[in-house]
Amino acid sequence: MYLSDIHTHSIASGHGTDCTISDMAKSASRKGLKLLGITDHGPATLAAGTPSYFRSLTFSPKKRFGLELLYGIELNILDKEGHTDLDEELLSRLDYAIASMHAQNYKSGTIEENTKAYINAMKNPHVKVLGHCDNPQFPVDYDQIAKAAKEYQTAFEINEASLAPYGYRGDTRANNREILRCCRKYQIPVLLSSDSHGAEHIGDFTCASEFVHKEMFPESLILNNQLPKLKVFLQTHS
């Protein structure tokens, strides 16, 4: 049983669910989680949250149904320079940011170009997690990304939606294996993430947990159950 899930999406992400943040918190509380992160897609995603939506999150309650809530964003990486789709003023108001590549907003390039894009995105001190960078559609040099993640204090995620049978990214196991190898090598923390769009899969790490344990990845580098350490990590800006 893991106690936190910090990559989840509400109705404000514009697709896949009609669940409000209250619906999400209620479900997470029922499932026994202690910490839930809401990370709706950035404004470059079709029909997703506007800048005013992310501004309003500052005033949202930090506790619901006995559960602690963090409010972040899943940023879209837009180009090889690592630009993302929310400005500094608004990012500074949120608890953290995940940076991800999506085909709708980023045209995949060479391994070198994609690697550069991730590294440049990590230079933004608000980016604390790399989202589903296991996607074979965006080939990268994981060793180079891991070195940068160590420097910029950024975590990798092991994404349940990538490894689960219902996933749509293809076979990501080799890439996830390489991510874990690099994280072990450079002592970089990871987070198991549901990437749940709505309440159904919140806190579901069935495949991600099985994968990391099969790879004998050290539990000490998995932040989901280390809540004080996780919160400090998200609040620390390089």
Side-chain angles (χ1 to χ4, degrees):
M1 174 67 191
Y2 286 97
L3 300 177
S4 65
D5 188 358
I6 69 161
H7 184 171
T8 69
H9 298 273
S10 76
I11 190 173
S13 280
H15 64 277
T17 178
D18 59 0
C19 289
T20 65
I21 291 175
S22 184
D23 296 331
M24 306 278 283
K26 186 180 294 185
S27 176
S29 180
R30 286 174 177 168
K31 293 178 180 182
L33 269 67
K34 301 299 181 185
L35 178 67
L36 175 67
I38 303 293
T39 50
D40 286 310
H41 286 292
T45 298
L46 184 65
T50 63
S52 62
Y53 164 73
F54 290 103
R55 182 176 287 109
S56 72
L57 289 178
T58 305
F59 307 102
S60 298
K62 287 292 199 175
K63 282 189 177 290
R64 299 190 186 194
F65 309 106
L67 179 80
E68 186 173 358
L69 281 127
L70 298 178
Y71 299 100
I73 182 173
E74 184 177 11
L75 294 167
N76 290 288
I77 297 175
L78 302 175
D79 53 35
K80 310 303 185 294
E81 286 68 46
H83 293 121
T84 57
D85 54 338
L86 201 69
D87 64 33
E88 168 68 21
E89 188 269 330
L90 290 179
L91 281 175
S92 69
R93 293 170 176 259
L94 298 174
D95 291 313
Y96 62 100
I98 297 170
S100 304
M101 290 180 178
H102 298 101
Q104 301 93 327
N105 303 111
Y106 178 86
K107 183 179 180 181
S108 185
T110 64
I111 290 175
E112 292 75 16
E113 289 171 333
N114 295 338
T115 300
K116 177 184 175 183
Y118 272 120
I119 291 174
N120 284 335
M122 283 189 282
K123 292 177 182 178
N124 185 322
H126 302 291
V127 171
K128 298 304 299 181
V129 183
L130 295 181
H132 49 71
C133 67
D134 55 11
N135 194 334
Q137 186 176 356
F138 307 108
V140 295
D141 183 330
Y142 287 109
D143 198 85
Q144 290 301 312
I145 291 177
K147 287 179 183 177
K150 184 73 171 181
E151 177 180 356
Y152 297 116
Q153 300 181 58
T154 308
F156 286 83
E157 74 169 6
I158 302 299
N159 189 291
E160 177 71 14
S162 290
L163 291 164
Y166 57 80
Y168 61 89
R169 297 185 184 108
D171 189 348
T172 66
R173 288 172 296 179
N175 287 346
N176 275 297
R177 195 169 290 114
E178 183 66 6
I179 287 169
L180 293 180
R181 184 192 69 80
C182 291
C183 287
R184 186 185 287 109
K185 176 180 178 181
Y186 295 108
Q187 293 294 288
I188 297 167
V190 304
L191 283 153
L192 308 187
S193 299
S194 71
D195 200 357
S196 183
H197 286 62
E200 181 181 0
H201 294 291
I202 286 176
D204 180 2
F205 309 121
T206 304
C207 297
S209 176
E210 180 182 356
F211 187 86
V212 296
H213 291 141
K214 186 176 180 180
E215 294 298 315
M216 294 184 289
F217 190 75
E219 195 74 29
S220 61
L221 287 176
I222 302 173
L223 294 181
N224 295 70
N225 278 351
Q226 304 178 61
L227 298 188
K229 185 175 180 179
L230 171 59
K231 288 188 284 187
V232 169
F233 177 82
L234 295 176
Q235 293 164 4
T236 302
H237 295 161
S238 58

